Amino acid sequence: MHAQACARRHWITALLLLIAANGCNSSPKHRHAAADNTTAAEENSYVSPYRAVFQLPAADVETGLNRSPWSDDQEQSTVPAQAWYDRETRRKWGSWGPPQRRYPEAPEWSSRPVRWLQERVLRTALRYQGLSYQHHHIPAWDPPEDWPWKKVKSGHAGPGLDCSNYTGFVYNYALGVKMSTGIREQATMTQIAGPGDSGVMPVQRIEKQDYDTTVKQLQPADLLYIRNNSGNLAHVIMWLGDVGVSPDGTPLVIDSTGSGHKDSQGNVIPDGVQIRPFSRDSWYWHDFDHAHRIVTELNRAAHGPIPDLPEGGADEVEATGK
């Protein structure tokens, strides 16, 4: 009897510890299954060997982000937050969830130097490091388990963004530049609306050359588009440039992906938004097609019809390199 009582006490203690660990972060409605290939403990224990070093003070670059609508996650969409999980949103937007709002233009953006614009984009991008890979339009959306779901390898794990929704949201949030969230539309755009719909601006396209020339030509916050095994434009990554610091000197990018990549220490980088290497033998370089540069074109916005912005996303892509 004594042994049974001890076993029962140990079982109850373990249960209470489990409830304490999970109870503050999830509700029964929004609790999801563990990832298929990587446990939550393994993902939480990952320590990246990469870091970001900025030239400008955060307080200056992040001006205004502590005010509404930037400061309120419930204002990320044109759909009111109280309707994110209702029947009409489910019917209209399905597994993608509510679409992005258009954020206001960055304060005094027209008088800011290019470096300020680049660092504002990259600081915004790094805010979401660790977010899971999911086919959603906004990072705060956390659908219940019975909501339609577009399968990804990480499992039905709550909030997340895919690659083109991530890059689209970052530019929208940081500068008020809203682009298509569909990967093919984003990869082939030649013009987009300027900050806060301030006319139409061109998008500078940078073609692939040899590895060394390409790396020297790219600038922080450039968007790089990658083809899949079928030759289709299927993925987008963001260039960190001199902001990214790697132990082995390899150039770095930040993106949201469900594909396996290894860091400079040989460790598998978890899915979702992470800093990753852009090495010579990587899938990123092997199937890199072209890049887009946006921040240098902001002041070239001119009057004209605002192009349509189809909502969409990207299919999860298998990496073919390291």
Side-chain angles (χ1 to χ4, degrees):
M1 290 293 293
H2 177 71
Q4 291 178 340
C6 288
R8 188 180 301 111
R9 283 197 297 271
H10 286 309
W11 181 87
I12 292 172
T13 300
L15 180 61
L16 290 173
L17 288 172
L18 179 63
I19 293 172
N22 294 318
C24 294
N25 298 317
S26 61
S27 64
K29 178 182 178 183
H30 289 84
R31 191 173 295 132
H32 301 280
D36 295 336
N37 300 317
T38 307
T39 67
E42 288 172 335
E43 290 200 354
N44 291 336
S45 66
Y46 176 73
V47 177
S48 175
Y50 308 124
R51 59 194 178 95
V53 177
F54 295 91
Q55 296 179 8
L56 305 177
D60 178 32
V61 172
E62 296 181 344
T63 298
L65 297 183
N66 61 342
R67 303 196 301 264
S68 178
W70 297 278
S71 61
D72 189 348
D73 287 351
Q74 293 190 334
E75 292 192 54
Q76 289 180 358
S77 177
T78 53
V79 176
Q82 61 269 26
W84 283 6
Y85 308 104
D86 68 15
R87 183 177 301 176
E88 179 60 17
T89 298
R90 182 171 180 148
R91 182 195 67 79
K92 189 171 183 179
W93 301 106
S95 61
W96 294 99
Q100 297 176 19
R101 65 168 297 147
R102 180 183 289 281
Y103 279 90
E105 58 194 283
E108 302 176 358
W109 66 268
S110 61
S111 62
R112 303 287 188 176
V114 168
R115 185 70 191 194
W116 187 93
L117 299 168
Q118 292 170 334
E119 292 201 8
R120 186 174 174 92
V121 171
L122 292 182
R123 282 192 180 275
T124 298
L126 286 159
R127 284 183 169 212
Y128 297 98
Q129 190 171 1
L131 185 70
S132 183
Y133 184 91
Q134 296 289 336
H135 294 292
H136 300 164
H137 289 316
I138 58 174
W141 191 61
D142 185 6
E145 287 186 348
D146 63 352
W147 199 276
W149 175 60
K150 189 173 182 180
K151 186 177 180 181
V152 294
K153 289 190 301 182
S154 61
H156 199 167
L161 292 172
D162 63 27
C163 64
S164 52
N165 277 282
Y166 170 63
T167 54
F169 186 85
V170 166
Y171 263 90
N172 186 8
Y173 183 94
L175 301 178
V177 174
K178 192 173 189 298
M179 62 187 75
S180 172
T181 56
I183 181 60
R184 292 167 186 83
E185 292 82 6
Q186 192 180 121
T188 57
M189 63 185 176
T190 58
Q191 59 180 16
I192 53 176
D197 276 346
S198 57
V200 179
M201 53 176 273
V203 175
Q204 183 180 351
R205 180 178 169 118
I206 301 166
E207 301 295 345
K208 181 178 183 178
Q209 301 185 58
D210 63 87
Y211 180 83
D212 291 330
T213 302
T214 299
V215 167
K216 289 178 181 178
Q217 189 176 15
L218 293 170
Q219 295 182 11
D222 284 351
L223 300 178
L224 284 63
Y225 296 92
I226 319 295
R227 294 188 180 273
N228 62 14
N229 292 340
S230 301
N232 297 318
L233 291 164
H235 190 58
V236 56
I237 61 182
M238 186 176 295
W239 192 252
L240 290 183
D242 60 5
V243 169
V245 178
S246 171
D248 58 4
T250 301
L252 300 175
V253 301
I254 187 167
D255 68 335
S256 183
T257 183
S259 298
H261 296 262
K262 291 186 178 181
D263 63 26
S264 60
Q265 298 176 343
N267 297 318
V268 176
I269 303 172
D271 90 296
V273 178
Q274 298 285 351
I275 297 176
R276 297 181 170 90
F278 188 83
S279 59
R280 294 176 185 270
D281 61 349
S282 68
W283 164 56
Y284 288 154
W285 168 246
H286 183 267
D287 292 332
F288 166 61
D289 187 77
H290 67 278
H292 281 153
R293 182 166 298 151
I294 295 172
V295 296
T296 58
E297 310 301 305
L298 297 183
N299 281 305
R300 296 180 62 191
H303 292 295
I306 304 298
D308 290 335
L309 294 171
E311 300 289 350
D315 294 325
E316 192 169 27
V317 181
E318 289 289 342
T320 57
K322 294 180 181 179

